[in-house]
Amino acid sequence: MTLLDPQPRPLDDPAGCTDAELIAAVRAGDRAAFAQLYERHERAARRMARQLSASPHDVDDLVAEAFARVFDMLSAGRGPDSAFRAYLLTAVRNGMYERARRDRRLELSEDMGRHDRGEPWVDPAEAELNSALAARAFASL
């Protein structure tokens, strides 16, 4: 990038670049560089997520969230200058910790009556039917 060319140029061959070069390209706005980082490190992120969670859905979510966070950090000019994989795996682990903290605050309960007593409700049609049936029963005696 020069003063005459303010737009970042995409890398000609992202596959041949180091992680540090790809990180710099992502910071300059090259999304293809991040796609290359994804291809290189997705399997490692997935392995880490499988170690942390038994649920396949959680594994997918953890990996996606970690890559999204790292992409946001790099796009904002923050994050690692090198050691992308270590940073990504830390993001996966931190995502699991955040999920566990969030889920700990949830209180699952089968009995919602504990939380909401509700309003007593009498069905007028049912009350009228009960009265009619009771009157008919007494009349038949």
Side-chain angles (χ1 to χ4, degrees):
M1 184 160 72
T2 65
L3 291 175
L4 299 176
D5 183 21
Q7 294 297 323
R9 289 188 189 163
L11 298 172
D12 294 331
D13 180 24
C17 295
T18 66
D19 283 356
E21 291 170 330
L22 292 171
I23 289 169
V26 171
R27 284 196 176 117
D30 186 355
R31 291 178 180 234
F34 193 78
Q36 182 62 40
L37 286 168
Y38 182 90
E39 285 181 30
R40 284 184 188 176
H41 301 288
E42 185 262 341
R43 290 181 68 208
R46 193 165 292 285
R47 276 193 306 272
M48 169 67 93
R50 274 196 301 268
Q51 290 175 357
L52 297 171
S53 176
S55 167
H57 303 293
D58 284 347
V59 168
D60 291 340
D61 289 346
L62 287 170
V63 171
E65 289 170 7
F67 272 104
R69 285 182 181 178
V70 172
F71 178 74
D72 288 344
M73 294 291 281
L74 293 177
S75 296
R78 299 187 316 257
D81 293 324
S82 60
F84 180 84
R85 182 173 291 195
Y87 195 85
L88 175 67
L89 296 180
T90 301
V92 171
R93 188 184 67 229
N94 289 342
M96 185 62 187
Y97 292 155
E98 287 174 19
R99 186 174 286 229
R101 275 193 302 271
R102 182 186 65 223
D103 290 349
R104 223 182 348 219
R105 286 182 266 163
L106 295 177
E107 180 183 335
L108 303 177
S109 173
E110 291 181 22
D111 179 21
M112 289 307 296
R114 242 179 50 182
H115 304 288
D116 182 12
R117 300 282 179 220
E119 296 286 326
W121 184 74
V122 178
D123 184 3
E126 184 181 357
E128 187 176 324
L129 176 66
N130 287 340
S131 294
L133 291 175
R136 193 178 308 159
F138 278 119
S140 69
L141 291 174

